[in-house]
Amino acid sequence: MFSGVMLGSAVVVFAGLVGQMLRRDGRQDLVRAVAATVLVGVVATSAAGWVAASGESASIDVVAMAAAALSVALLVWSVPGDRVLLGSGAVTAGALTGVLVSATVEGTGTWVLGLAVGGAAAGCALLGQVLGRAWSVGALPGPQTWAFPAAVSVALVGPAVHVGASLAVLTV
């Protein structure tokens, strides 16, 4: 999966550079345009981890753990307050959610796997929120940028889900 992300990123960089070379408008904001293209391409290829993880029957439980941890972490993160405390609380809540889901599913889910997948999914989700908000500030007016940080969060959890699914298959 990571080799696919790297290949996809290389294709995106090449396509972005070719697209910029073909521009006829004087290439204003060249660095910003290439950076935006590369960022969106890497986020899009990272999201493929969800699809790769769901391919194995033993790893469907990992997808459930990560999805629940992602939801709980973003719910905790949405509360107004100190970002450092809320961030650590969101990662802790995500990890505990992974443990709870691992206890309720019928499959290979152990509490250690749930803790690891839940914590990793929550951490990647918060990273997606921070990166998505930082990148979309000033790009579009208010309500049009609300969905972008959520999309980045879901995409960045993809590799964590894929690694967790690979570990779940090994424990079978």
Side-chain angles (χ1 to χ4, degrees), residues 28-83:
Q28 302 299 324
D29 296 321
L30 179 65
V31 174
R32 187 174 185 183
V34 171
T37 303
V38 170
L39 177 66
V40 170
V42 170
V43 167
T45 55
S46 294
W50 287 94
V51 177
S54 65
E56 295 286 330
S57 61
S59 59
I60 296 295
D61 300 338
V62 173
V63 174
M65 290 175 208
L70 168 74
S71 302
V72 168
L74 291 183
L75 184 65
V76 172
W77 182 253
S78 68
V79 174
D82 182 25
R83 292 288 123 193

Side-chain angles (χ1 to χ4, degrees), residues 16-162:
L17 291 175
V18 168
Q20 293 301 318
M21 285 188 274
L22 296 176
R23 284 176 56 179
R24 301 279 184 218
D25 63 351
R27 295 187 191 112
Q28 302 299 324
D29 296 321
L30 179 65
V31 174
R32 187 174 185 183
V34 171
T37 303
V38 170
L39 177 66
V40 170
V42 170
V43 167
T45 55
S46 294
W50 287 94
V51 177
S54 65
E56 295 286 330
S57 61
S59 59
I60 296 295
D61 300 338
V62 173
V63 174
M65 290 175 208
L70 168 74
S71 302
V72 168
L74 291 183
L75 184 65
V76 172
W77 182 253
S78 68
V79 174
D82 182 25
R83 292 288 123 193
V84 175
L85 291 176
L86 286 172
S88 58
V91 171
T92 303
L96 292 176
T97 301
V99 171
L100 289 175
V101 171
S102 71
T104 61
V105 294
E106 296 178 16
T108 61
T110 65
W111 71 270
V112 175
L113 183 65
L115 184 70
V117 169
C124 290
L126 296 186
L127 179 64
Q129 285 290 302
V130 171
L131 291 176
R133 286 183 181 161
W135 189 63
S136 64
V137 168
L140 295 170
Q144 296 176 6
T145 61
W146 291 348
F148 186 71
V152 174
S153 291
V154 171
L156 290 184
V157 173
V161 173
H162 180 69

